[in-house]
Amino acid sequence: MRKPTTMSNHTLLKIMLFCCLTIHTIVATAQIAINNTNQSLRLNTNLIDVDEVIMINGITSTTTLSYNGSGTIQWRNHQGQLLSTTNNVPISNATGYSLTVNGQKISFVWVIDYALYYPNLGELNIIEGDDVCERIQLTNTSTAPNILYGDSLGAMHALIREYTLRYQDYIFTNDSLGTWEYVNTDTTLIGIPSLLYLPAPLNNTTFVFFGDQYAKQMGLQPDSITIDYYAKAIKAYPTGTVIERDGLNEVDRSSQTDISGSAPLVVECRANANTPIATFFKWTIYNFDNLQVMAHYNDASFTYTFNETGSYVAKIEVMGDGTCEVVDSLLITVRDSYIEVPNVFTPNGDGINDEFRIAYRSIKQYSIKVVNRYGVLVYSSNDPTKGWDGNIHGQPAAEGTYFYFIEALGADKEEKRDRYIKYKKSGAINLLR
């Protein structure tokens, strides 16, 4: 078994010394103040061999760095030249300043005059190619000088400059209402790309380019360049929603996974397109089995009733100014007819199985008669959603066996015959209280 390693006193001493020096450097850097009335920014992270980069928006003849401590002070530039032995030192752009107190190095900072590095804003231009319906190309003629800082060893390093491209897009939220929302989009750019590919916005918008992040952090209002964009791209997210009926004994009134249900199936179709860019709509409803066209609509949404069982397609074509087009479709299924009759019900008022109701699907016509054992009619109806509540002329019927007779037509047709499926059912039903 290996012996557990232990930290040597020498290693522990080195760590403690490093921590002390780090804390001392942070404190000393904090003791260096900027005597300047303009906006300034102090950077002390992600730097190479320099304690701090101090960025000032406009260095003047009176701008100085000052040390708030006491002792024997020496300010030197990055070339080693002695500049001052007082608490203050005049500063200039692109210069490093080393501070020692009582012979101990306290801090090395680099000073940058941000006012000398403003971006040179040019023009934004939009290029629309063959794929204009999907994306656009944005060109930018702007330039910006590199912002460099030097380390204590004399090497130069570039600061990363971030810019922002802002525009507004139109996003489909995919909710049940088919809602679209305007969304402000900010894209962070590292440097100034001369060519940028973007998804084609779905609404008219204005592209705005500005930056960099240092101006923002100093509270400056940087200049910007803009260009207006007139959308051409078309997007549509067609949906079909089954309008449910109230009869709870009608099975498969609608589905959560597809557009299907019991006939007559009432479906609301929506294009869910990015209007007003999308201006033209053409719906075609046809039978999927025989391709027979059943209806045309030119509205963004409509409601249609499918009266017969089978598979149907609602095809949608959406266009704008003629440049872009979307073609999509919905598959709609009307399920086969079905009747199931219970053999017992309990009209005792407990809310469970209190009525004699059939379970059904896709029924066009319906008739039911219920008689007692003597053949006397006690209930009849032509509405499959309704049921017998176990009363005769408002009075509770006696417990026992009753007999039903059902005749119905399904919304589907017999195979190879052009007539609707007929149902004739009869049997006994037990009334229990």
Side-chain angles (χ1 to χ4, degrees):
M1 179 181 295
R2 294 180 58 187
K3 293 179 61 178
T5 57
T6 58
M7 186 178 296
S8 67
N9 291 337
H10 178 67
T11 302
L12 182 60
L13 180 61
K14 289 175 63 179
I15 293 175
M16 293 176 63
L17 180 60
F18 173 78
C19 292
C20 290
L21 289 175
T22 302
I23 293 172
H24 178 75
T25 300
I26 293 174
V27 172
T29 303
Q31 288 180 301
I32 297 177
I34 308 167
N35 298 325
N36 187 79
T37 58
N38 294 335
Q39 297 92 334
S40 61
L41 177 65
R42 305 179 73 152
L43 308 175
N44 52 28
T45 58
N46 301 319
L47 301 175
I48 300 174
D49 200 25
V50 61
D51 297 310
E52 194 172 35
V53 170
I54 298 176
M55 194 175 291
I56 302 170
N57 184 41
I59 295 176
T60 68
S61 59
T62 61
T63 305
T64 63
L65 296 180
S66 64
Y67 175 61
N68 298 330
S70 59
T72 302
I73 298 171
Q74 287 189 343
W75 289 96
R76 295 180 182 272
N77 65 15
H78 60 279
Q79 297 174 333
Q81 298 172 324
L82 180 65
L83 302 176
S84 174
T85 57
T86 67
N87 289 71
N88 300 317
V89 61
I91 58 175
S92 57
N93 176 57
T95 305
Y97 296 90
S98 175
L99 171 65
T100 60
V101 179
N102 298 328
Q104 181 180 358
K105 181 180 177 181
I106 298 300
S107 182
F108 178 76
V109 301
W110 192 269
V111 173
I112 293 171
D113 187 347
Y114 179 76
L116 302 177
Y117 299 88
Y118 289 166
N120 302 309
L121 296 182
E123 292 183 349
L124 293 178
N125 289 287
I126 296 172
I127 301 175
E128 296 178 332
D130 295 336
D131 55 353
V132 63
C133 298
E134 296 297 329
R135 68 175 185 172
I136 62 171
Q137 301 175 45
L138 193 68
T139 63
N140 190 345
T141 61
S142 302
T143 60
N146 289 330
I147 302 179
L148 304 176
Y149 72 90
D151 62 29
S152 60
L153 301 179
M156 301 300 292
H157 309 276
L159 292 175
I160 294 176
R161 303 188 74 169
E162 297 178 354
Y163 300 88
T164 300
L165 180 68
R166 176 173 293 167
Y167 63 99
Q168 189 182 73
D169 207 349
Y170 203 34
I171 305 299
F172 182 60
T173 62
N174 201 27
D175 63 7
S176 60
L177 300 177
T179 305
W180 286 77
E181 291 184 353
Y182 291 101
V183 176
N184 292 322
T185 300
D186 280 4
T187 301
T188 299
L189 307 174
I190 305 300
I192 303 178
S194 58
L195 179 62
L196 189 65
Y197 292 92
L198 296 170
L202 299 179
N203 65 296
N204 298 333
T205 188
T206 299
F207 287 99
V208 184
F209 175 83
F210 60 93
D212 56 17
Q213 79 275 28
Y214 305 122
K216 179 179 178 181
Q217 292 169 16
M218 284 188 282
L220 302 175
Q221 295 296 325
D223 292 336
S224 62
I225 51 176
T226 64
I227 188 170
D228 293 331
Y229 173 72
Y230 299 96
K232 294 181 174 63
I234 301 294
K235 293 293 183 183
Y237 304 89
T239 57
T241 303
V242 174
I243 308 301
E244 292 189 15
R245 289 178 286 275
D246 295 333
L248 298 181
N249 58 322
E250 181 181 16
V251 298
D252 295 326
R253 290 180 297 156
S254 67
S255 170
Q256 298 296 320
T257 57
D258 57 7
I259 311 170
S260 65
S262 171
L265 188 68
V266 183
V267 179
E268 181 185 25
C269 297
R270 291 177 174 267
N272 297 318
N274 58 317
T275 55
I277 306 305
T279 56
F280 174 78
F281 303 89
K282 180 182 178 182
W283 290 92
T284 304
I285 298 178
Y286 60 90
N287 189 303
F288 184 75
D289 299 320
N290 57 27
L291 302 182
Q292 177 185 0
V293 175
M294 302 170 62
H296 289 289
Y297 292 91
N298 294 110
D299 299 313
S301 63
F302 67 95
T303 299
Y304 188 83
T305 301
F306 297 85
N307 290 304
E308 295 186 4
T309 59
S311 297
Y312 303 89
V313 172
K315 178 184 175 182
I316 176 66
E317 301 170 68
V318 186
M319 295 182 64
D321 63 359
T323 302
C324 303
E325 180 183 16
V326 168
V327 178
D328 207 338
S329 61
L330 302 171
L331 179 62
I332 300 162
T333 303
V334 184
R335 297 186 181 276
D336 295 341
S337 62
Y338 160 87
I339 289 179
E340 183 177 357
V341 185
N343 57 16
V344 65
F345 74 115
T346 58
N348 54 14
D350 65 355
I352 302 174
N353 200 25
D354 280 338
E355 289 188 345
F356 170 48
R357 290 176 188 256
I358 67 166
Y360 75 96
R361 178 180 61 218
S362 296
I363 295 299
K364 290 175 67 72
Q365 295 180 13
Y366 173 79
S367 171
I368 185 172
K369 292 180 174 60
V370 179
V371 301
N372 64 16
R373 60 181 177 171
Y374 303 110
V376 177
L377 181 67
V378 298
Y379 173 76
S380 65
S381 176
N382 295 317
D383 186 349
T385 66
K386 299 186 181 303
W388 182 34
D389 61 3
N391 292 328
I392 302 175
H393 303 304
Q395 298 298 319
E399 286 189 311
T401 302
Y402 295 80
F403 302 92
Y404 63 84
F405 302 89
I406 295 174
E407 293 185 0
L409 285 179
D412 42 359
K413 293 184 177 180
E414 297 179 9
E415 188 174 356
K416 298 182 180 180
R417 302 184 69 175
D418 190 24
R419 68 181 187 183
Y420 294 105
I421 292 177
K422 292 183 178 181
Y423 290 88
K424 283 192 175 183
K425 288 180 175 286
S426 61
I429 178 72
N430 294 304
L431 187 158
L432 302 175
R433 296 190 187 275

